[in-house]
Amino acid sequence: MRTIYNKRAKMQKAELDGGTQIQFLYKCITNGDYVSFNKVNAETNQLESLFFAHPVSIQLCKMFSCVFLLDCTYKTNRYKLPLLCIVGVTSTNRSFYAAFVFMSNEVETSYAWALECFRTILDQKKLPCVLVTDREIALMNAIAVVFPGAKNILCKFHISRNILAHCKKEFKNGKEWEKFNGKWQQLVDSPRESDFYQTFLEMKTEYEIAYPQVYSYVVTTWITPYKEYFVAAWVDMHLHLGNSTTNRVEGSHSQLKKFLEVSIGNLATIWQTFDQMINLQHTEIKRSFGQSTIQTNKVFSSSLYSDLLGYISITALEYIKKEELRARTGHGSFEGCTHKIKYTLGLPCAHDLLSYIRNNNTFPLWMIHDHWKQLTLREIKEEQDIKEENEADSKIDVEIEGILRRYNNTSNLQKQEIKRKLRELMDPSSTQTLAPSLPTRTKGRPKGSYKKFTSDFKSTKRDPSLFEHVLKSEQLSLKMRPMRTTKKEAISEKRFLKVVQKEMPAYIRDYISDVVDVLGDGHCGYRVISNGMEMGDDWLQVRNDLSRELQQKDILYDAIFGTTRRIELQNSLDCTTTPAPLDKWMTMPDMGLIIASCYNIAVVHFSMFQSFTFLPLHSPPPAVRRTLFMGFIHGNHFVQLKIKDDCPLPPTFSIWRRYHEEIAEQW
């Protein structure tokens, strides 16, 4: 192993060619045609902040400038610098990395500098309409200064997790908490201001006296200062393209860390990893553009779509198809329409399509927002505009004259400094800038084994949030609680085990050692996964994880299920209320492959109707393999099964054999 490390170190030293890692980094950035900006500490000459954007990413930013999502991630580099990721959305609903910013801290001035750099790469005539963030006050203040015309939306998912972390402990039992949480979600999803105030009045009547601490927290922390930032009645008046959470950028963090693997790399090696990842992402985006341009779909064979096919993305066509079906079944009554589709997506609502359907006229292209019409990386501009823009940007006569004037009127020492800076401009790899300082380690080894410390030190896995600590403590308390406290409870559990065994295939009944039941509220399938993955009772996180998997691998799942069914599955995951309506319940076998691929586990599903083993589609098995056993009973309820080691398994789902990637063959 030492030989490998020595060889790797020798190769890295050869790459530097006698220079520093910062010089090598700037050389790579220059050779890759990246746009970059840096901030250097005037006293120590150390790099403090670094902004960089790929040239293709800049094209994408100018084409798809409506919405950007911003969030910091950590444990990506040896200097412990926070990494601000800015993510955009294409017309084919693909995420793209717009820019990266390594920052020395997360204060308002640092965010303002990063946003100013980001603003310079955008088309100044098409600045963002919406910026989605968490409640990071410094970032929100910087957005208000740098992008005053943009709507700042706060992630409603993380708000709901904060509500869980601070409020759930105040309720006497789970049923009371679920009732409150349902009311909160109803408040957040209020389609009109009048609906919001009505629901808020109901919440005040029910909880102000009964649960004063809970009521005070949600009112003072969220509703009063920030309701316009996350409640649908206000948020859905803006073109956010369906992005009301930061889940898209969180998914990008996850993908980025899979590429990084460890958190102790320097900025030069990290940049090389980023470059590979970004280029792969751009290849996928180009492929999705090609699909929208040339792929035909029987669903859109009607003459109503003849003027749209090939001119707008398949994602937009799917949204329009859904509105067409709503128009056909709406019986002409759309008085309650809030125009959500028109405002948030830039697409026609059902009542806008009704007259075209009745007269069998084609849907016109002018009804579609320009965002959905961009299907090539060439941004369309008038030649005169390009000429004027180039002429304005290329003139530096005034700047050169100013530099010469200052050079001629300054001391010899200052002249040397000006010449050094000019050389750096001509050849960035000649920079004398130093790398950021490494974080200071305290004396002594932290408690625990050295091996454990080393593993955690290199890990890119983020530290748990407060709500995850809450869920973990609940899970531990459930584990510590005696399973059978009375003879009556023991008998009922044995009876339930027998009921479940009768609903399972005969060949595995004797192998079922125990059953873990969950609440039957329409989220039972997702509760089983949450419990099996040791996530507590966080069924909402599971829904978000699976939705992200479908979104990130949409081309793969389009090939498996078809685009329409893939969208249906993704819509079925969008549910925050309890009980969940029937169309939001988990369905098997469709979800089996998605669950296995999302969590990189084997999923074994048993029922009297069908039993399958589902394996991941696009990842190799981990060092320690995990298997989740699920049972489907009564025709409407999922449970977790505890199975003995020598249990015979059902056949592997046949679709896996056809669509799995080569790397997953090891399963």
Side-chain angles (χ1 to χ4, degrees):
M1 203 66 182
R2 175 52 56 189
T3 305
I4 296 173
Y5 290 149
N6 290 340
K7 184 67 175 177
R8 184 185 296 172
K10 190 175 180 180
M11 291 171 64
Q12 290 175 349
K13 188 175 181 180
E15 278 186 331
L16 293 177
D17 194 24
T20 66
Q21 60 150 302
I22 297 298
Q23 289 174 338
F24 179 67
L25 170 65
Y26 284 178
K27 180 181 177 181
C28 292
I29 288 175
T30 303
N31 292 343
D33 289 329
Y34 277 68
V35 170
S36 68
F37 303 96
N38 62 65
K39 188 162 62 170
V40 179
N41 187 300
E43 295 180 0
T44 64
N45 199 36
Q46 288 180 319
L47 183 68
E48 286 191 340
S49 299
L50 176 66
F51 172 100
F52 58 95
H54 191 284
V56 176
S57 294
I58 294 173
Q59 278 186 283
L60 291 169
C61 285
K62 292 179 178 180
M63 291 168 60
F64 306 108
S65 60
C66 295
V67 179
F68 291 99
L69 301 91
L70 300 88
D71 188 43
C72 272
T73 187
Y74 311 92
K75 295 188 176 182
T76 62
N77 60 90
R78 67 192 306 177
Y79 309 105
K80 307 301 180 188
L81 299 177
L83 174 64
L84 176 64
C85 294
I86 305 176
V87 173
V89 189
T90 71
S91 57
T92 53
N93 203 32
R94 306 285 294 188
S95 302
F96 67 90
Y97 292 108
F100 295 100
V101 193
F102 285 107
M103 303 191 302
S104 57
N105 52 49
E106 295 178 84
V107 299
E108 186 175 332
T109 52
S110 295
Y111 279 123
W113 178 85
L115 292 176
E116 288 285 3
C117 294
F118 178 55
R119 180 166 178 149
T120 62
I121 69 172
L122 300 174
D123 184 340
Q124 300 305 302
K125 296 178 182 178
K126 296 192 295 183
L127 294 175
C129 303
V130 170
L131 295 171
V132 186
T133 67
D134 292 331
R135 192 191 59 163
E136 177 65 43
I137 304 300
L139 177 56
M140 294 172 67
N141 290 342
I143 287 172
V145 173
V146 181
F147 293 104
K151 173 65 177 178
N152 187 186
I153 293 178
L154 296 184
C155 174
K156 66 179 183 181
F157 171 74
H158 283 97
I159 293 174
S160 70
R161 300 294 85 185
N162 274 283
I163 297 292
L164 181 148
H166 289 89
C167 299
K168 188 173 182 180
K169 61 187 177 183
E170 303 293 336
F171 288 88
K172 301 170 185 176
N173 54 61
K175 191 172 287 187
E176 283 293 315
W177 157 250
E178 292 289 352
K179 183 181 177 183
F180 168 79
N181 194 41
K183 181 63 70 175
W184 170 258
Q185 295 301 332
Q186 182 184 345
L187 187 76
V188 172
D189 295 335
S190 301
R192 301 176 184 80
E193 291 185 34
S194 58
D195 297 322
F196 169 82
Y197 288 114
Q198 177 62 38
T199 306
F200 177 66
L201 183 61
E202 294 171 4
M203 177 180 282
K204 181 179 180 180
T205 303
E206 193 164 354
Y207 296 103
E208 185 177 22
I209 296 175
Y211 295 95
Q213 289 181 316
V214 171
Y215 179 79
S216 175
Y217 173 76
V218 297
V219 171
T220 58
T221 306
W222 297 108
I223 293 176
T224 300
Y226 298 117
K227 61 179 180 294
E228 292 91 352
Y229 290 76
F230 67 91
V231 175
W234 287 274
V235 167
D236 287 349
M237 299 300 291
H238 299 270
L239 188 70
H240 57 63
L241 304 176
N243 294 278
S244 56
T245 72
T246 55
N247 288 349
R248 186 182 291 272
V249 70
E250 294 277 358
S252 297
H253 292 339
S254 176
Q255 182 186 21
L256 180 151
K257 291 187 175 184
K258 284 181 182 178
F259 274 82
L260 284 178
E261 295 184 342
V262 295
S263 62
I264 57 174
N266 61 47
L267 297 182
T269 57
I270 288 170
W271 180 88
Q272 291 175 308
T273 303
F274 283 10
D275 186 56
Q276 295 172 5
M277 178 185 66
I278 293 168
N279 285 319
L280 286 173
Q281 185 183 72
H282 294 162
T283 301
E284 290 294 319
I285 288 172
K286 290 174 186 176
R287 187 184 304 169
S288 70
F289 287 162
Q291 282 189 322
S292 286
T293 305
I294 63 175
Q295 187 179 31
T296 58
N297 193 320
K298 292 181 179 178
V299 176
F300 311 116
S301 59
S302 167
S303 61
L304 295 169
Y305 295 90
S306 59
D307 287 353
L308 304 182
L309 291 176
Y311 294 99
I312 66 173
S313 70
I314 290 177
T315 305
L317 288 170
E318 288 164 352
Y319 282 123
I320 295 171
K321 184 65 179 178
K322 190 174 180 181
E323 290 302 297
E324 180 205 340
L325 295 175
R326 195 162 74 91
R328 292 184 184 278
T329 58
H331 309 295
S333 177
F334 298 100
E335 293 180 2
C337 182
T338 58
H339 307 286
K340 178 180 177 179
I341 298 296
K342 184 182 295 184
Y343 294 144
T344 64
L345 297 175
L347 296 171
C349 295
H351 57 82
D352 295 321
L353 302 176
L354 197 58
S355 63
Y356 295 95
I357 295 170
R358 287 172 176 169
N359 299 320
N360 200 30
N361 293 333
T362 58
F363 298 145
L365 192 59
W366 62 262
M367 297 176 74
I368 314 301
H369 191 278
D370 287 345
H371 172 86
W372 306 105
K373 301 173 186 176
Q374 304 286 352
L375 297 175
T376 176
L377 277 174
R378 283 188 310 170
E379 187 174 12
I380 301 171
K381 285 189 176 182
E382 294 293 335
E383 291 185 6
Q384 185 61 32
D385 290 345
I386 296 174
K387 185 178 179 181
E388 290 175 0
E389 182 179 310
N390 289 341
E391 287 178 354
D393 291 343
S394 61
K395 291 180 179 179
I396 58 169
D397 299 345
V398 175
E399 288 81 1
I400 294 295
E401 287 177 8
I403 292 171
L404 287 171
R405 203 164 38 246
R406 184 182 176 191
Y407 182 83
N408 292 327
N409 296 325
T410 191
S411 65
N412 287 333
L413 285 175
Q414 192 63 38
K415 286 178 180 178
Q416 294 300 318
E417 177 64 14
I418 292 173
K419 287 171 70 175
R420 184 186 67 80
K421 289 182 176 179
L422 288 174
R423 280 195 295 270
E424 284 190 11
L425 285 174
M426 291 186 295
D427 180 14
S429 63
S430 66
T431 181
Q432 299 303 308
T433 302
L434 303 176
S437 56
L438 291 168
T440 305
R441 295 189 190 176
T442 55
K443 287 186 176 181
R445 177 167 56 84
K447 291 182 180 180
S449 70
Y450 176 77
K451 186 175 181 181
K452 180 179 178 182
F453 167 69
T454 305
S455 174
D456 183 63
F457 180 70
K458 294 181 179 180
S459 173
T460 60
K461 186 176 181 181
R462 65 174 176 81
D463 296 326
S465 301
L466 176 59
F467 76 86
E468 291 171 307
H469 285 297
V470 172
L471 293 171
K472 188 70 175 177
S473 64
E474 287 182 359
Q475 184 183 5
L476 289 173
S477 67
L478 288 171
K479 285 183 177 179
M480 295 170 62
R481 194 179 300 162
M483 292 298 294
R484 296 183 176 93
T485 55
T486 65
K487 185 175 180 180
K488 184 177 180 181
E489 287 178 1
I491 293 171
S492 64
E493 285 189 11
K494 287 180 179 178
R495 285 176 180 169
F496 184 64
L497 176 59
K498 288 182 179 180
V499 168
V500 172
Q501 286 174 326
K502 286 181 180 179
E503 298 238 8
M504 293 296 107
Y507 68 90
I508 67 127
R509 290 173 184 170
D510 294 338
Y511 293 93
I512 302 175
S513 60
D514 200 3
V515 179
V516 179
D517 196 14
V518 294
L519 185 64
D521 62 348
H523 301 292
C524 55
Y526 304 102
R527 291 181 187 275
V528 167
I529 300 168
S530 178
N531 186 72
M533 296 304 298
E534 299 182 352
M535 296 163 61
D537 191 29
D538 198 1
W539 53 267
L540 184 56
Q541 180 64 54
V542 173
R543 284 183 176 272
N544 280 284
D545 290 345
L546 298 180
S547 179
R548 189 184 306 137
E549 167 70 17
L550 277 170
Q551 189 176 70
Q552 291 180 344
K553 295 290 181 178
D554 57 350
I555 294 176
L556 172 62
Y557 291 113
D558 281 352
I560 294 173
F561 302 118
T563 304
T564 303
R565 179 56 181 156
R566 192 259 305 166
I567 293 293
E568 289 175 355
L569 289 170
Q570 192 146 1
N571 289 338
S572 74
L573 292 166
D574 184 16
C575 181
T576 57
T577 58
T578 183
L582 186 61
D583 63 330
K584 303 294 184 181
W585 291 10
M586 179 182 288
T587 56
M588 284 291 190
D590 289 348
M591 278 293 175
L593 287 173
I594 303 167
I595 298 165
S597 301
C598 178
Y599 295 106
N600 201 26
I601 59 173
V603 177
V604 181
H605 173 257
F606 291 109
S607 77
M608 288 296 288
F609 309 103
Q610 54 185 359
S611 298
F612 293 108
T613 299
F614 301 96
L615 301 175
L617 290 162
H618 51 74
S619 53
V624 180
R625 302 191 186 200
R626 299 182 64 176
T627 303
L628 175 66
F629 294 93
M630 301 178 68
F632 188 63
I633 62 174
H634 308 322
N636 62 2
H637 188 61
F638 288 96
V639 294
Q640 184 182 357
L641 304 177
K642 301 291 185 180
I643 302 292
K644 298 175 184 176
D645 291 339
D646 55 345
C647 173
L649 298 180
T652 302
F653 195 46
S654 59
I655 289 178
W656 180 85
R657 301 187 184 279
R658 181 178 176 187
Y659 289 99
H660 73 275
E661 296 179 7
E662 186 176 350
I663 197 172
E665 188 68 40
Q666 301 170 41
W667 280 94

